[in-house]
Amino acid sequence: MPKSRISPFTRRGFIAAGGALGLVAVLTACGGADSKEGDGGSDKSAASGAWTFKDDLGKDVSTKAKPKNIVAFTGTAAALYDYGIPVKGVFGPTKTADGKADVQAGSMDISKVEILGNVYDEFNVEKYAALQPDLLVTNTWDGSYWYVPEASKDKILKVAPAAAIGVGGNVSMDKALERTADLAKSLGADMNAKKTVDAKSRFEAASAKLREATKANPGIKVLVGSGSADLFYASTPDTSADLKYFKSLGVEFVTPEKLDEGGFFESLSWENAGKYKADVILLDNRTGTLQPADLKAKATWAELPAVKAGQVTPRVTEPIYSYEKCAQILEDLAKAIQGAKKVS
C-alpha cells in the first residue's frame, strides 16, 4: 500500500549528511547501467562474472559480479534470509521501541544488520554508502521503490543498482512469491534445499486448506481494517498481492465503496466505523497501528459484530514473501474462516 496507507508513522524530513556525497561519488561505479540481457530473473554468470536480473519495474539490473553486499527493505531482507541470502543493511520497520525485532523482520537476527532507517522516510545515506553495497532490493506497490524516501531517492540510487519486486496492483501473492524466489535464486539461493522445498509444499497445502475452508463455511464476509487514533481504514481486496490471492481461493471480502486517492482503502471516522458489516475482521498487525487491546476504548469498535463475536484475526499487512512465512498466513486465515460464525 502507498505511504498514505500506513501512516500512523509520522513522515520525517531527511537531511543527507554532507559526507555521504563524497562516498556516493566514489561508489557510483558500482551502480552499473541497465543491461539489455535480463531474462526475467536468471543468474547471468558468464565468463565475465556479470549478474543481471529483470525486476518488476521492467528494469534490467546489472552488476559486474554476483552481489554480495546487499541492502534491502526489511520485509524483503527477511524473505531473502529465509532462502539463505543474508543482507548487510536494512531500511524499514526493523526494531520496536523496546529493542525487539519488528514483525516485518521475520526470522532475521537484527543485531547483525545495519539499520539505515526504522520508520517511513528515514534512510541514512551516509551509512548506506559506507556499507559499499552492490545491490539495493525492495518491493514496489505503485511503481516506486518502497521505503526509499523521495527526498533522497536520487542520491540513494546513485550508490548501487536497485531491484524491486511487485507486491501490489495486478500482482497476486503467488506471483510475488515466485518473483522473490527468482531473485533469491539469482543471488545464489539453493532452491532445491529441503527447507525451501518443504516450505513451498507447505504453502501449496495451506492454499488448499484455505480453499476448503471457504467452501465448507460459505458466506463468511471478511473486512480488512487498520486502526489509528482518529480513523479506521477499510481496505479493498483488489490492490494488494495477499488479498488478491485470498480472494482467488474463495475468501469473500467486504469491498469499500469510496476509496481514497490511490485506491487502496476508505478512511472512516470512528463514529462511522460500523459502516460495513462483516463476520471476520482482518486487523493490520504492523507496529504503530492500533491493536485489539488498544481499540477497546473505541465504543464503535466494541459494537462491531465481528468484535463482539471474538472473530478478529491479525492481518500480516506487508507479508514476508517467502513460502515459509506465507504458508503460515494462509494456515491462520483458513483456521479463522473455518471457525467463524455468521454474525453480520
Side-chain angles (χ1 to χ4, degrees):
M1 67 263 344
K3 54 199 172 194
S4 58
R5 172 69 181 86
I6 62 166
S7 246
F9 299 127
T10 301
R11 193 177 171 99
R12 298 186 181 185
F14 182 89
I15 301 174
L21 299 178
L23 286 167
V24 168
V26 170
L27 295 172
T28 298
C30 297
D34 288 353
S35 166
K36 299 302 181 183
E37 301 181 11
D39 65 351
S42 64
D43 179 11
K44 294 286 189 179
S45 297
S48 65
W51 174 90
T52 66
F53 180 83
K54 191 175 186 68
D55 79 350
D56 292 340
L57 295 177
K59 296 183 178 180
D60 293 318
V61 185
S62 67
T63 58
K64 293 180 180 179
K66 185 181 294 181
K68 298 297 183 184
N69 292 347
I70 302 167
V71 171
F73 167 66
T74 303
T76 315
L80 292 176
Y81 179 89
D82 285 348
Y83 288 115
I85 304 297
V87 304
K88 292 192 71 173
V90 295
F91 54 97
T94 307
K95 183 186 292 186
T96 59
D98 59 4
K100 295 180 180 178
D102 188 276
V103 63
Q104 293 191 59
S107 301
M108 284 193 302
D109 182 348
I110 63 172
S111 70
K112 295 183 178 180
V113 293
E114 182 77 45
I115 300 174
L116 304 175
N118 201 50
V119 297
Y120 190 79
D121 246 9
E122 184 178 83
F123 192 119
N124 191 313
V125 181
E126 184 174 25
K127 285 185 178 180
Y128 174 56
L131 291 175
Q132 299 185 357
D134 301 317
L135 179 70
L136 180 145
V137 183
T138 186
N139 293 334
T140 182
W141 290 82
D142 56 3
S144 63
Y145 293 101
W146 188 231
Y147 263 79
V148 174
E150 189 64 29
S152 50
K153 179 184 69 175
D154 291 345
K155 294 175 185 176
I156 293 166
L157 296 180
K158 285 179 180 178
V159 178
I165 299 296
V167 298
N170 294 323
V171 177
S172 185
M173 174 180 270
D174 52 343
K175 182 62 176 178
L177 281 164
E178 178 185 321
R179 293 293 291 135
T180 304
D182 285 344
L183 176 61
K185 181 180 179 181
S186 79
L187 293 170
D190 179 3
M191 305 313 289
N192 294 315
K194 186 178 186 303
K195 177 184 176 183
T196 299
V197 172
D198 289 350
K200 188 172 183 180
S201 295
R202 180 185 171 191
F203 173 80
E204 291 167 350
S207 297
K209 285 181 184 177
L210 180 55
R211 190 185 296 277
E212 291 165 5
T214 62
K215 289 181 178 180
N217 197 7
I220 296 298
K221 298 293 184 181
V222 178
L223 175 64
V224 181
S226 183
S228 70
D230 299 321
L231 297 170
F232 181 66
Y233 302 98
S235 293
T236 174
D238 298 325
T239 52
S240 299
D242 59 332
L243 302 183
K244 287 178 71 69
Y245 189 62
F246 303 158
K247 190 175 180 179
S248 76
L249 296 174
V251 177
E252 297 182 41
F253 287 104
V254 174
T255 301
E257 299 169 353
K258 298 180 180 180
L259 300 180
D260 289 11
E261 184 179 358
F264 284 84
F265 58 92
E266 180 176 352
S267 300
L268 300 170
S269 66
W270 279 107
E271 289 79 5
N272 295 313
K275 178 178 179 179
Y276 300 109
K277 298 296 186 289
D279 306 299
V280 172
I281 295 175
L282 284 183
L283 186 67
D284 190 345
N285 76 334
R286 288 174 298 175
T287 300
T289 63
L290 299 184
Q291 300 305 304
D294 308 312
L295 292 169
K296 286 181 179 179
K298 305 287 187 184
T300 48
W301 169 261
E303 291 302 313
L304 295 177
V307 175
K308 294 173 76 172
Q311 295 178 174
V312 178
T313 192
R315 179 199 175 195
V316 182
T317 305
E318 293 186 56
I320 293 167
Y321 282 101
S322 70
Y323 287 106
E324 174 187 329
K325 296 298 189 293
C326 288
Q328 184 67 58
I329 293 171
L330 289 166
E331 289 165 357
D332 291 344
L333 182 56
K335 183 177 180 180
I337 290 178
Q338 188 172 23
K341 296 179 181 179
K342 188 72 179 171
V343 295
S344 63

